[in-house]
Amino acid sequence: MTIVALQTNELKHGLKTRHVTMISIGGVIGAGLFIGSGTIIDSAGPGAILSYIIAGLMIVLIMRMLGEMAVVNPDSGSFSTYAHQAFGPWAGYTIGWLYWFNWVIIIAIETTLLGTMIHDWFPGIPMWAASLSFPILMTITNIYSVKAYGEFEYWLAFMKVAAIVIFLFLGAAMIFGLVPGFDSPGLSNITGEGGFLPKGFLPVLLSVIFITFSLSGSEVAAIAAGESENPEKNIIRAINSVVWRLLLFFVGSVTVLVLVIPQGAEDLLKTPYASVFDMAGLPAAGQIMNIVIFTSLLSVLNSGLYTSSRMLYSLSKKGDAPKILSRVNKRGIPIWALMASVFFAYVFTTFKFVSPDKLFAFLANSSGGVTMIMYIFIAFSHLYLRKKTEKENPGTLKVKMWLFPYLTYATIAVLFIIFVAQAFIDSMRLQFFLTTLLTILVIGSYFLFYHKKNVIAAEQEEKLKNIHVKEG
């Protein structure tokens, strides 16, 4: 009976250290960097380097907090579980369902982008048909075993990392005048006309807001670590790798773009990485970057199915979702949670083709601010759980947040500023209000459907404890 229970309710620890480490690195490297960085540089000028430094440091601090909590309690529910422990079932329920919804929307977006690329390459294949085929492929990698997911994601992330490393070496060679046929601009792009802040400091700060939203994904490592062979060791390695690689890859590559591409070259900034490869005389630069972007989209889709299924599984284990979603197959995969995520991903993808400007836009804007809410929950949970752990079991604090509690308070303040700032930015105002409304509705649904049930369950558990105490 014990074996059956394990087979039907527990995940397996099939991820190796290299899987979790590469997942943590690849999680933050997406099409947003390869394409979105050009938009940031165009709006902030060379000052975009500062924008990426500030945003990168924010993510590093969030990951440090999350890593501290994850070492104490590695769990597939990650920050949802920690919010539950810190503030009660309503908090875990709220952030868990918001995060799941956000990832399912991301899956739908990545699916349609992949379909668009396939249609561009092979016009005979309808966009909708190409789009709907990719979730099936990623479901196969996820459904076989967690090790299969980890291995597939490892190589997808490896390709992205390899592309950035090659880009950094090539960019450095161009800057130092080592590339034949390319006249190095040196530091003229940041010291010449316009200077480092050609449009002032405000665009730099506004860019931080956009970048912070685009850097989500590193938290997947904390979820994945719960299914690794050595959770504590893997979390520590993942956190450490994210800290310096995030700054190197993002800040380093943006610095190369700023120094190589002339200020105001809007056409070159539309596809910045391909432009640099092209300027270096590398043949088929556009095609190479298209393959890298395609790989990035595939990687995000793969991680999206994994992450959304584990969050549903965790919600079900805590009684915040139907019990069937916590059942796993003989390979340790939460099959029903995975199928539910795939199903809703297909529904939302259909909305993208049926009503892209209304229904799908409404859903996308509703989930757009979830990342910032997640970060806020992580920071507040860390503040509470760190103090609790120091009192009850300080020996479990193998990873500690720097300058606690001051940096945690500072992070919370900046997160609130970034979240509220959306209301004053035209392109983000609708996202702010819809995400806020969605959060209120999710909290309301907990107290309407789950609060009473959880209270009754807690009372029954307390009665059982009292009975055992009396019998003892």
Side-chain angles (χ1 to χ4, degrees), residues 75-77 80-81 309-319:
D75 186 272
S76 61
S80 171
T81 298
S309 65
R310 269 42 176 195
M311 189 55 72
L312 265 190
Y313 166 83
S314 177
L315 287 167
S316 176
K317 291 280 284 186
K318 292 194 287 283

Side-chain angles (χ1 to χ4, degrees), residues 376-396:
I376 291 170
F377 266 94
I378 289 173
F380 273 112
S381 299
H382 171 256
L383 196 63
Y384 177 86
L385 292 177
R386 169 67 177 269
K387 292 178 179 179
K388 182 180 179 182
T389 304
E390 285 180 337
K391 289 180 181 179
E392 298 177 357
N393 196 5
T396 59

Side-chain angles (χ1 to χ4, degrees), residues 227-289:
E227 289 182 79
S228 66
E229 296 172 341
N230 189 334
E232 181 180 308
K233 174 185 174 184
N234 288 331
I235 290 170
I236 294 173
R237 287 194 63 174
I239 298 303
N240 290 336
S241 67
V242 165
V243 168
W244 69 268
R245 285 183 174 92
L246 182 72
L247 295 176
L248 173 64
F249 291 158
F250 278 80
V251 178
S253 58
V254 170
T255 301
V256 168
L257 293 175
V258 165
L259 292 177
V260 172
I261 298 177
Q263 281 198 44
E266 295 182 9
D267 290 340
L268 296 178
L269 290 173
K270 288 179 181 177
T271 53
Y273 286 76
S275 296
V276 171
F277 282 129
D278 189 55
M279 292 167 72
L282 194 69
Q287 289 84 340
I288 292 171
M289 282 313 303

Side-chain angles (χ1 to χ4, degrees), residues 61 67 88 101 119 151 185 231 236 295-296 358 372 395 419 435 440 464:
L61 294 177
F101 174 70
H119 178 69
E151 196 65 31
I236 294 173
T295 302
S296 297
K358 294 182 179 179
M372 204 52 53
F419 183 71
T435 301
I440 293 171
L464 287 173

Side-chain angles (χ1 to χ4, degrees), residues 34-105:
F34 295 119
I35 300 174
S37 55
T39 304
I40 298 297
I41 294 171
D42 187 40
S43 62
I49 297 173
L50 284 180
S51 301
Y52 274 92
I53 290 174
I54 297 170
L57 288 175
M58 284 295 302
I59 303 304
V60 166
L61 294 177
I62 292 294
M63 282 297 292
R64 187 74 181 186
M65 296 179 209
L66 187 56
E68 180 186 304
M69 295 184 289
V71 168
V72 174
N73 179 21
D75 186 272
S76 61
S78 190
F79 40 84
S80 171
T81 298
Y82 309 141
H84 180 113
Q85 294 171 344
F87 305 112
W90 72 269
Y93 172 95
T94 300
I95 195 60
W97 277 111
L98 284 174
Y99 190 68
W100 173 83
F101 174 70
N102 182 54
W103 265 111
V104 174
I105 290 292

Side-chain angles (χ1 to χ4, degrees), residues 333-354:
I333 303 299
I335 186 68
W336 292 105
L338 178 60
M339 290 298 103
S341 296
V342 172
F343 172 78
F344 281 99
Y346 270 124
V347 171
F348 295 154
T349 302
T350 303
F351 290 164
K352 178 68 175 177
F353 290 104
V354 174

